[in-house]
Amino acid sequence: MNRRALPTLRLLALMLLPAAARAQTPPDPLAWDAVFKELTAKPGEGQVPFFFTVTNVSVAEVVITQVLTSCGCTVAKLPEQPWRLAPGASGKIDASINLAGKFGVLVKTLTVLTSAGTKLLTIKVNAPLPAQPDSEA
């Protein structure tokens, strides 16, 4: 082989290596019912409950170690901690947003920490203005 061709072949190999590595990267082992949900609160509703459903679609166990919320008004609850999802197993993460003193469009996140990486889930709540008392006197 020509010595001048070697540097070119090395460069070509280095350029193709990242593409080959990406092709071998397994898909996300967790399938979610949604990564974004939108809800409309009822007037006077103090808490808005919601949940995300997850299924382990991989051939290995995935452990969900923690769920972090974007603020103190949002609470998430795992079935157990750590939550071990066997291959094919499903379950749900229950959560709620406290609407006390809030109205308008609220966007909150749940950051799910797992043995397979991190997943960001988002919830958008349309919270109506509180009922105004009649000003007729």
Side-chain angles (χ1 to χ4, degrees), residues 21-133:
R22 280 193 304 271
Q24 294 175 2
T25 301
D28 191 350
L30 297 177
W32 298 88
D33 64 334
V35 294
F36 176 85
K37 292 189 176 188
E38 183 171 357
L39 302 171
T40 299
K42 297 176 182 105
E45 192 171 23
Q47 295 274 337
V48 177
F50 61 96
F51 63 89
F52 287 93
T53 302
V54 60
T55 302
N56 180 354
V57 295
S58 74
V59 295
E61 177 182 79
V62 176
V63 180
I64 298 178
T65 56
Q66 192 174 13
V67 178
L68 305 172
T69 60
S70 57
C71 72
C73 69
T74 306
V75 177
K77 185 172 188 275
L78 292 173
E80 58 185 297
Q81 200 167 347
W83 183 21
R84 299 180 180 283
L85 280 171
S90 295
K92 68 180 185 171
I93 297 174
D94 288 307
S96 66
I97 298 175
N98 182 338
L99 297 178
K102 297 173 183 65
F103 60 90
V105 177
L106 308 171
V107 178
K108 305 297 178 181
T109 60
L110 304 180
T111 303
V112 183
L113 307 178
T114 79
S115 58
T118 302
K119 189 67 167 186
L120 185 68
L121 307 173
T122 305
I123 183 78
K124 177 181 173 184
V125 177
N126 299 301
L129 285 169
Q132 299 295 318

